[in-house]
Amino acid sequence: MLWLGASSPRASTPASEPRHRTPPPPQKGYGYTYEIAPVFVLMEEEVLKTLRALVGWSSGDGVFCPGGSISNMYAVNLARYRRYPDCKRRGLRALPPLALFTSEECHYSIKKGAAFLGLGTDSVRVVKADERGKMIPEDLERQISLAEVEGAVPFLVSATSGTTVLGAFDPLEAIADVCQRHGLWMHVDAAWGGSVLLSQTHRHLLDGIQRADSVAWNPHKLLTAGLQCSALLLQDTSNLLKHCHGSQASYLFQQDKFYDVALDTGDKVVQCGRHVDCLKLWLMWKAQGGQGLECRIDQAFTLTRYLVNEMKKREGFELVMEPEFVNVCFWFVPPSLRGKQESPDYSERLAKVAPLLKERMVKEGSMMIGYQPHGTKGNFFRMVVANPALTRADMDFLLNELERLGQDL
Ligand SMILES: *Cc1c(COP(=O)(O)O)cnc(C)c1O
């Protein structure tokens, strides 16, 4: 039930009525202890276990975090703690200069995390990606050697499954080999692409993910669970999360309770109260079934293929690359620029098209598609085909609408 707020008639209850008649505030958080939210504690464990099974782990650990950025930060903190447990007590004084590795296509939260955790953004070593946006394992090797020569200690590699702009999947097997050779924590940022694990047809894109130490996976993205719903999954069975983040507050985590205090999972996280993020995924899974969710993923891939094929039939659309995932990156080439690829200012003029069309579509209120510059490439559109309600008719509309909005350019 919904409690009414302060402006409700109940708030003006006569002073003579006992105070306890006033409704309690809504319970927004839970999670520190089993006694506060027994069902949700067990539900979180159950959902995490199911996600881990999809990664390929029969045991492990995990938590729901407030978003993929935070899940990534947890992974970095855990990797650092595993290598230097003393840093929990002594902080940065316990550490030599550290180095972590991720590709130039990684999500910006890796750098934010490095700053937030006191490592500094300079400790993030950027590994080259190939023309399809995948991390180059040979360059990873090179960057590790370089960092060592410079006196830094490598401790973590963050691979990406489903990069934010191009939708690329890093070669996880080859990256796992490198991590194994150098004894590095392997994190997979699968915030965007993790949900592909639900699809028997497409899960090969994440082959090797079972070799990771940690995986960040956002059901609030491709699976469209309500914000926020992001899981950090760990292969670890040594209670690393709790050792790394626990602080044993004696008023919550009493050790002399009548039940198994291992169920008091709240000390694994850096929050106190938390939203019940697992509930959204649990309900969705119950409603759709594993097959229903798999169907959604497969449909997104199929609809992406349809959009790409339709683009190829039309004159004004140029793909940045053949998509591997559901990110369709393309330029709309307006009539005045068609066939002018050789002119010296072509790229410059083409780069001005997407912002202008974006302005027009927003002001019309007809649709919204993201655009961005990328590397040496000027602004291009990035259509992400994720919403399960999208149809072929929507794809046709998108193409027609771009042609209509850009016909005078
Ligand atoms: C979106 C995204 C994130 C960040 O997730 P938030 O939940 O928005 O914090 C991290 N990594 C990748 C690859 C993403 O696409």
Side-chain angles (χ1 to χ4, degrees), residues 67-69 72 107 109 160 162 164 189 191-192 218 220-221:
S69 303
N72 286 338
H107 190 259
S109 58
T160 312
T164 311
D189 177 359
W192 176 216
N218 282 8
H220 74 220
K221 285 195 165 167

Side-chain angles (χ1 to χ4, degrees), residues 77 80-82 84-92 94-95:
N77 200 40
R80 177 170 71 175
Y81 175 78
R82 186 176 71 175
Y84 298 101
D86 214 23
C87 76
K88 181 174 178 184
R89 196 173 53 85
R90 296 185 56 228
L92 300 181
L95 301 171

